[in-house]
Amino acid sequence: MENFKNVVIFDHPLIRHKIAILRNEKTSMKEFRELVEEITTLMTYESLKEGVPTTEIEVKTPLETCRQQIVADDAIVIVPILRAGLGMVNGVHVLFPSAKVGHIGMYRNEETLVPETYYCKLPTGIEDKLVVVVDPMLATGGSACDAIQLLKDKGCKHIKFMAIIGAPEGVTKVATTHPDVNIYVSTLDRCLNDHGYILPGLGDAGDRLFGTK
């Protein structure tokens, strides 16, 4: 796969360890959900080390007063792509507990593999925030591209996208369609199969998160 300036593929031993357990078909729903949140938190720490709005406050320590940078109030919005993206929200909230949450609902047409939007609810003023779009699987890239474009159409200018597992096809599509959006993927897999599923992947993330088929 081509190297894109706006794409970061993580190579962290702790993430690799958790991904191995996540892939296992015998991993329980509870453990799967916990792993998704843990991996997301590790990704958030690195993904949001730049570009987060901050403000300076005065802090009185036991010894003296100093100036200190803190994350600005109401600076971040998390936007999961429903439904699997919901599994990543708490992982971001661990580090940014005051972040508001918007929702974009999409489903993939199983015949055309084209995503279709059925729901969109976003916080007021989202166009002025740092928006973090989350979806565990970046497969064809269709849903991610459409969600990002929807946000741009709403006036959003600062967008980051995080996926736990990506396929080269999907990463390439999002990176080329939205070169101004930083894309963070914890693991890059081999390819897509004929049905648009990532190989080796981990199956359907939504089904494994919520116990459905």
Side-chain angles (χ1 to χ4, degrees), residues 45-59:
Y45 179 81
E46 288 296 324
S47 303
L48 274 68
K49 66 183 179 182
E50 295 179 351
V52 177
T54 60
T55 187
E56 191 175 81
I57 63 170
E58 187 174 275
V59 177

Side-chain angles (χ1 to χ4, degrees), residues 166-169 188-193 196-201:
E169 298 91 331
L188 186 67
D189 273 9
R190 188 174 72 252
C191 65
L192 298 177
N193 66 13
Y197 283 93
I198 301 174
L199 297 176

Side-chain angles (χ1 to χ4, degrees), residues 32 36 83-85 135-137 197 202-211:
F32 188 93
V36 166
R83 63 186 166 131
D135 195 355
M137 311 296 282
Y197 283 93
L202 47 72
D204 188 293
D207 286 345
R208 298 192 66 182
L209 280 164
F210 303 116

Side-chain angles (χ1 to χ4, degrees), residues 138-152:
L138 179 52
T140 65
S143 294
C145 283
D146 286 1
I148 292 168
Q149 188 58 55
L150 187 155
L151 290 165
K152 287 183 175 181

Side-chain angles (χ1 to χ4, degrees), residues 28-209:
S28 69
M29 180 181 66
K30 176 180 179 296
E31 189 174 12
F32 188 93
R33 185 170 59 249
E34 291 170 348
L35 285 164
V36 166
E37 293 181 7
E38 291 166 2
I39 293 168
T40 301
T41 299
L42 292 170
M43 293 180 66
T44 300
Y45 179 81
E46 288 296 324
S47 303
L48 274 68
K49 66 183 179 182
E50 295 179 351
V52 177
T54 60
T55 187
E56 191 175 81
I57 63 170
E58 187 174 275
V59 177
K60 185 172 179 11
T61 79
L63 300 176
E64 64 180 28
T65 298
C66 65
R67 306 295 295 180
Q68 187 72 45
Q69 294 286 326
I70 63 169
V71 175
D73 288 338
D74 198 23
I76 297 172
V77 174
I78 311 164
V79 178
I81 299 177
L82 303 180
R83 63 186 166 131
L86 289 172
M88 298 177 69
V89 172
N90 286 345
V92 181
H93 266 155
V94 167
L95 299 181
F96 297 95
S98 64
K100 292 182 179 178
V101 181
H103 299 86
I104 295 177
M106 293 183 171
Y107 70 92
R108 183 171 64 173
N109 187 304
E110 294 301 327
E111 294 182 0
T112 65
L113 302 184
V114 174
E116 299 184 18
T117 303
Y118 65 89
Y119 183 77
C120 180
K121 183 73 171 179
L122 303 171
T124 302
I126 190 173
E127 64 274 9
D128 299 319
K129 314 300 181 186
L130 171 60
V131 182
V132 184
V133 182
V134 294
D135 195 355
M137 311 296 282
L138 179 52
T140 65
S143 294
C145 283
D146 286 1
I148 292 168
Q149 188 58 55
L150 187 155
L151 290 165
K152 287 183 175 181
D153 292 344
K154 298 288 186 181
C156 298
K157 299 172 287 295
H158 308 291
I159 303 171
K160 292 176 182 282
F161 179 84
M162 293 199 312
I164 292 178
I165 293 181
E169 298 91 331
V171 173
T172 298
K173 181 178 178 65
V174 181
T176 54
T177 305
H178 298 287
D180 56 329
V181 173
N182 288 331
I183 302 159
Y184 302 89
V185 179
S186 73
T187 299
L188 186 67
D189 273 9
R190 188 174 72 252
C191 65
L192 298 177
N193 66 13
D194 293 339
H195 299 288
Y197 283 93
I198 301 174
L199 297 176
L202 47 72
D204 188 293
D207 286 345
R208 298 192 66 182
L209 280 164

